[in-house]
Amino acid sequence: MPEELDDVLGVFAQQIESRFQMPLQQLRHAVTAAPQASPEATTTIRWYGLLEEAQGALSAAEDHLLAALDRAPAGELEDPVMALADRVNTLVAVRDGRAMVVRHLLDDNAPGNRTPGPWRGAARTGPAIATTPVPRPAVVPAVPVRGGVR
């Protein structure tokens, strides 16, 4: 894996270690032993593992693409090389999506983090927006009569 990609995974690993106050490998073992103990840690570790997996698949696909490009004659690229390029593009999207999920899970200010919401089973106690009743007149105004028809 190129050094800068290791750095990206390393930054996420460092943020996870900082958030949960333990080394990543120890946290993985703790989550494996007791996944219900901390649902937040379990989810974060699961998505970080998926991110590592996606990065590994992407690195392998990039290596295969580079090898195919080295073997390809100058000029037009054949279908197998284009298929490898499409695979790399797909894996980049998968990796980036998983990285966004990990970033979201680590962001305390992200919507849904650290606060109970209806999607987590919290009961709604009132309206979503504080409102005040609209003032209504005590007496209903009379409708004017026109042309004898009421």
Side-chain angles (χ1 to χ4, degrees), residues 31-99:
V31 163
T32 302
Q36 296 82 15
S38 174
E40 181 184 1
T42 301
T43 302
T44 303
I45 290 298
R46 181 175 145 257
W47 278 99
Y48 181 77
L50 291 171
L51 174 60
E52 285 180 318
E53 178 184 300
Q55 183 58 55
L58 174 59
S59 294
E62 287 173 334
D63 292 343
H64 291 136
L65 177 60
L66 288 175
L69 288 171
D70 285 342
R71 290 189 308 266
E76 285 188 35
L77 296 177
E78 296 179 4
D79 288 342
V81 176
M82 292 304 295
L84 284 172
D86 286 340
R87 174 125 175 94
V88 168
N89 283 336
T90 300
L91 289 171
V92 166
V94 169
R95 190 265 328 264
D96 289 351
R98 291 177 180 181

Side-chain angles (χ1 to χ4, degrees), residues 112-123:
N113 285 353
R114 302 283 184 160
T115 59
W119 57 91
R120 293 187 178 161

